[in-house]
Amino acid sequence: MSERPPAAVDRVTGSGDGDRPRLRRPRGWRAFLAALRSLVFLALALVTLLLAAPFTPLLVMPRGFVLACANAIIRFWLWLLATVTGLRYEVRGRENLAAAGACLIASKHQSAFETLALQIILDDPAIVLKRELTRIPVAGWTMWRLRHIGINRKAGAAALVDLVRQARQRLAEGRPVVIFPEGTRAAPFAAPDYKPGVVALYRALKVPCLPIALNSGVFWPRNSLWRFPGTIVVEILPAIPAGLDSVGFSARLESAIESRTTELVTAALAPD
């Protein structure tokens, strides 16, 4: 079964949410094994960045070359993730992506996994992210060279204007625009907190919006070094057509993402 829970996660009830499952951290040998595998993965990923550092002058090469190199490194990291920690991923709903054309993509955000995997799953996406991330040596500079959309969150209304301007440019280049509507990672089953940026983009860009649901937080918890074995499911949902009013779009988007994400997380935590 593709949505089996990681060995380090148990299904428990009575947490104040009815029979909703919640995470329990591993103990004993399972904890040691998960920690060891996670640390080996992190070490190898860091070594990759260190080996790539002397080649940062190549960022002046044509963007297509930089994109190919970045995608190769991310694929290598995802292979390492599967090989070392036993954490793989599955993509559902690719047919919805193929039918959407130029579009806005609104993805649930539970871990750092999707910031890597969406670069591979989607076709040269322009991802909305904090501008500070583009200043990180090597990885951040590469994000800047790939022309992701860096936003200064402290700029208030000006940040929203800049977001729309950059998103229009990326769509004109034929690239899908990806935004995480909550702006930050949320734990599984956490109450949603959607920010106004996704609605502003939808209204300004006048293109369909593809929601993405996922369960990555079960296997790759936020603010944690550990990665647990299992299969992350990334599901591309049917497009929300352009032209809805703000209230209607916001309600439809949140309902689509949250309901399916809850189903995916619950299935991942279900006993065999």
Side-chain angles (χ1 to χ4, degrees), residues 55-71 119 124-127 129-150 166 169-170 173 175:
F55 297 95
T56 51
L58 293 179
L59 291 176
V60 301
M61 296 287 286
R63 183 179 171 278
F65 172 83
V66 177
L67 176 64
C69 292
N71 284 353
Q119 177 70 38
D124 189 16
I127 301 174
L129 44 79
K130 294 185 296 185
R131 183 173 295 172
E132 294 85 348
L133 293 177
T134 64
R135 297 169 184 161
I136 299 173
V138 188
W141 300 340
T142 304
M143 294 178 198
W144 171 81
R145 184 66 183 92
L146 293 179
R147 288 174 55 79
H148 289 310
I149 301 174
Q166 291 191 64
Q169 291 176 349
R170 304 303 183 268
E173 296 167 359
R175 302 171 63 190

Side-chain angles (χ1 to χ4, degrees), residues 33-185:
L33 196 58
L36 179 61
R37 289 174 171 174
S38 298
L39 291 174
V40 169
F41 166 74
L42 288 171
L44 292 175
L46 180 59
V47 167
T48 306
L49 282 178
L50 293 175
L51 291 176
F55 297 95
T56 51
L58 293 179
L59 291 176
V60 301
M61 296 287 286
R63 183 179 171 278
F65 172 83
V66 177
L67 176 64
C69 292
N71 284 353
I73 290 174
I74 292 173
R75 287 191 177 94
F76 174 67
W77 282 343
L78 295 176
W79 176 82
L80 272 181
L81 189 67
T83 303
V84 175
T85 72
L87 180 52
R88 296 167 174 81
Y89 72 97
E90 170 190 348
V91 182
R92 301 176 184 173
R94 288 187 185 273
E95 66 278 6
N96 295 320
L97 180 63
C103 64
L104 172 67
I105 295 175
S107 175
K108 187 67 178 177
H109 194 17
Q110 291 186 342
S111 77
F113 166 81
E114 47 270 17
T115 60
L116 296 173
L118 289 180
Q119 177 70 38
I120 301 301
I121 294 169
L122 304 174
D123 184 16
D124 189 16
I127 301 174
V128 178
L129 44 79
K130 294 185 296 185
R131 183 173 295 172
E132 294 85 348
L133 293 177
T134 64
R135 297 169 184 161
I136 299 173
V138 188
W141 300 340
T142 304
M143 294 178 198
W144 171 81
R145 184 66 183 92
L146 293 179
R147 288 174 55 79
H148 289 310
I149 301 174
I151 297 301
N152 179 8
R153 291 181 176 178
K154 298 178 181 179
L160 205 55
V161 172
D162 187 40
L163 170 62
V164 170
R165 178 186 62 81
Q166 291 191 64
R168 282 175 171 159
Q169 291 176 349
R170 304 303 183 268
L171 275 182
E173 296 167 359
R175 302 171 63 190
V177 173
V178 179
I179 187 170
F180 300 112
E182 294 169 281
T184 190
R185 293 166 294 176

Side-chain angles (χ1 to χ4, degrees), residues 256-270:
I257 293 178
E258 295 304 316
S259 61
R260 187 57 184 148
T261 292
T262 296
E263 291 171 356
L264 292 175
V265 170
T266 301
L269 293 173

Side-chain angles (χ1 to χ4, degrees), residues 199 202-203 240 243-255:
V199 176
Y202 171 79
R203 297 286 289 168
I240 299 173
L244 300 182
D245 61 69
S246 298
V247 174
F249 166 71
S250 181
R252 187 165 170 179
L253 177 70
E254 185 171 330
S255 175

